[in-house]
């Protein structure tokens, strides 16, 4: 069997260079359709994907020679992980490659929200000069609650040092992680003390729809909400409701329950979302920078080398 990798998305060429130095042959097909990929996948021992390609049971059953999947990114929610592991397929991802990007994006969103950057900018362009309506909040002295203290949560916490904030973090799957940047707390404490809530958790059946009306109702203080994780973790309608009730002061959403047009524009909540000046939107780019583009490839190539699948 050949040692070859089918690459079905856009990645920095350094991956190909390094994989070929290890002895792999790469077939770079960033524009391949899922159907086309499925029709040739049985010829490959490796597959490299980003988020647009779904690796479900059918794909895994068709990929009879597959030994590893490289995910150029962090989220593995587009892979049927359990089934792949059952088939003995190695799964590699690269959160180390885009955690700085996500941490910085979250910081940028937070400062922009707290100081009404997007709304004030739009107002001036429309001929309105409103100082009082655009009075901001300072980060200093606030409590920032982080849910999920993996690569992304830790990166955000590190980048908050210097802002003189109290950083608390909760992670269901990790304990004993308090460090220089964040203090480990329970979910109850996050809900009780946070002025800012930033989500850094994967999408799983358990986290799907986690941030809903009921969850937001329990927060003791009005919060700024950041979601740079996965859109389906947050119910968009609940965010709109909480803004109306004054429970959310601003929301920075890099990811949405449904992404891309036209399907996004067809959602019942989309017109309210569009008109709400307390919501700042970006198109799922928190982890996608000119810098992370190369780092993701480098991290994956290193992990592939460490697998030592080739003699
Ligand atoms: O999971 C990630 O790393 C980010 O969400 C980026 O995903 P992408 O592969 O779509 O850029």
């Amino acid at each position: 069997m050949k040692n070859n990798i089918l690459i079905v998305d856009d990645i920095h060429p350094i991956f190909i260079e390094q994989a070929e130095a290890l002895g792999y042959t790469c077939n770079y097909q960033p524009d391949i359709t899922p159907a086309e990929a499925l029709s040739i996948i049985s010829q490959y021992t490796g597959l490299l994907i980003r988020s647009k390609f779904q690796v479900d049971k059918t794909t895994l059953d068709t990929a009879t020679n597959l030994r590893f999947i490289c995910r150029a990114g962090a989220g593995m929610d587009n892979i049927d992980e359990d089934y792949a592991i059952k088939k003995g397929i190695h799964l590699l991802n690269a959160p180390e490659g885009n955690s700085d990007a996500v941490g910085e994006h979250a910081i940028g969103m937070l400062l922009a929200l707290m100081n009404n950057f997007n709304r004030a900018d739009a107002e001036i362009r429309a001929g309105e000069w409103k100082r009082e309506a655009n009075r901001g909040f300072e980060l200093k002295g606030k409590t920032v609650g982080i849910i999920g203290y993996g690569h992304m949560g830790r990166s955000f916490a590190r980048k908050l040092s210097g802002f003189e904030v109290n950083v608390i973090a909760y992670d269901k799957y990790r304990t004993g992680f308090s460090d220089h940047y964040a203090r480990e707390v329970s979910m109850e404490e996050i809900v009780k003390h946070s002025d800012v809530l930033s989500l850094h958790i994967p999408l799983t059946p358990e986290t799907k729809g986690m941030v809903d009306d009921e969850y937001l109702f329990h927060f003791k203080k009005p919060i700024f909400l950041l979601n740079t994780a996965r859109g389906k973790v947050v119910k968009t309608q609940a965010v709109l409701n909480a803004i109306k009730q004054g429970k959310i002061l601003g929301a920075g959403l890099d990811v949405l329950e449904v992404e891309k047009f036209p399907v996004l524009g067809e959602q019942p909540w989309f017109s309210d979302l569009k008109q709400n000046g307390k919501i700042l939107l970006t198109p799922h780019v928190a982890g996608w920078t000119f810098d992370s583009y190369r780092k993701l490839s480098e991290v994956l190539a290193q992990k592939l080398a460490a697998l030592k699948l080739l003699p």
Side-chain angles (χ1 to χ4, degrees):
M1 189 64 209
K2 284 191 215 141
N3 296 305
N4 53 6
I5 308 172
L6 177 62
I7 300 172
V8 297
D9 213 326
D10 178 16
I11 55 142
H12 190 282
I14 191 84
F15 176 85
I16 298 173
E17 214 174 278
Q18 295 189 4
E20 293 195 341
L22 290 172
Y24 292 98
T25 306
C26 294
N27 183 7
Y28 185 54
Q29 298 289 341
D31 299 317
I32 196 168
T33 65
E36 286 164 349
L38 199 64
S39 72
I40 57 170
I41 202 161
S42 63
Q43 300 160 31
Y44 292 86
T45 48
L47 173 68
L48 188 147
I49 56 166
R50 283 179 50 214
S51 63
K52 74 176 185 202
F53 195 85
Q54 294 295 320
V55 182
D56 54 13
K57 283 197 174 66
T58 309
T59 312
L60 291 166
D61 283 337
T62 311
T64 43
N65 288 299
L66 206 61
R67 297 181 70 195
F68 61 89
I69 300 171
C70 294
R71 162 69 168 103
M76 301 289 268
D77 46 290
N78 54 328
I79 303 173
D80 188 332
E81 283 188 84
D82 292 342
Y83 197 58
I85 291 166
K86 214 154 83 187
K87 283 181 163 282
I89 295 169
H90 299 276
L91 301 177
L92 308 175
N93 69 343
E96 302 87 343
N98 60 1
S99 55
D100 284 315
V102 171
E104 290 190 20
H105 196 94
I107 293 278
M109 281 192 135
L110 183 55
L111 295 176
L113 281 172
M114 292 180 97
N115 296 284
N116 308 305
F117 286 172
N118 56 328
R119 202 177 64 212
D121 178 84
E123 285 168 2
I124 294 173
R125 287 168 201 273
E128 294 176 283
W129 188 267
K130 296 185 184 172
R131 291 187 69 204
E132 187 50 30
N134 286 306
R135 186 138 56 115
F137 289 93
E138 291 167 29
L139 251 180
K140 181 173 175 170
K142 303 290 189 294
T143 296
V144 179
I146 296 177
I147 301 186
Y149 207 61
H151 289 276
M152 307 301 167
R154 281 204 304 275
S155 166
F156 180 53
R158 268 199 316 276
K159 289 170 201 313
L160 281 168
S161 65
F163 282 104
E164 300 174 69
V165 287
N166 173 33
V167 184
I168 55 176
Y170 169 75
D171 191 314
K172 188 167 183 187
Y173 302 101
R174 284 186 184 85
T175 49
F177 62 74
S178 281
D179 58 20
H180 191 59
Y181 305 105
R183 184 169 60 84
E184 181 184 347
V185 296
S186 63
M187 180 65 102
E188 288 69 34
E189 285 172 274
I190 294 273
V191 168
K192 195 167 168 192
H193 301 295
S194 298
D195 298 293
V196 174
L197 175 70
S198 193
L199 304 169
H200 298 283
I201 46 181
L203 176 67
T204 65
E206 205 183 340
T207 62
K208 191 171 177 187
M210 181 186 106
V211 179
D212 59 8
D213 288 311
E214 210 216 312
Y215 179 81
L216 291 168
F217 173 79
H218 290 104
F219 276 76
K220 293 279 174 278
K221 299 193 249 177
I223 54 167
F224 287 95
L225 171 71
L226 301 174
N227 188 10
T228 54
R230 280 294 178 269
K232 286 189 167 57
V233 171
V234 175
K235 295 266 190 202
T236 316
Q237 188 58 55
V239 173
L240 291 162
N241 298 343
I243 289 176
K244 216 181 254 175
Q245 294 154 5
K247 292 197 74 74
I248 289 183
L249 299 172
L253 307 175
D254 178 55
V255 285
L256 288 168
E257 271 175 276
V258 172
E259 297 179 359
K260 296 187 191 155
F261 291 100
V263 61
L264 175 56
E266 290 158 5
Q267 300 308 303
W269 37 258
F270 185 68
S271 87
D272 286 346
L273 186 81
K274 213 167 61 168
Q275 285 158 32
N276 198 309
K278 293 185 176 174
I279 296 179
L280 178 57
L281 301 166
T282 50
H284 198 153
V285 289
W288 187 236
T289 61
F290 287 100
D291 309 273
S292 71
Y293 183 52
R294 184 182 171 107
K295 281 192 278 182
L296 287 165
S297 272
E298 285 172 342
V299 168
L300 272 184
Q302 279 160 18
K303 290 189 178 179
L304 184 59
L307 262 189
K308 293 193 168 59
L309 289 180
L310 296 186

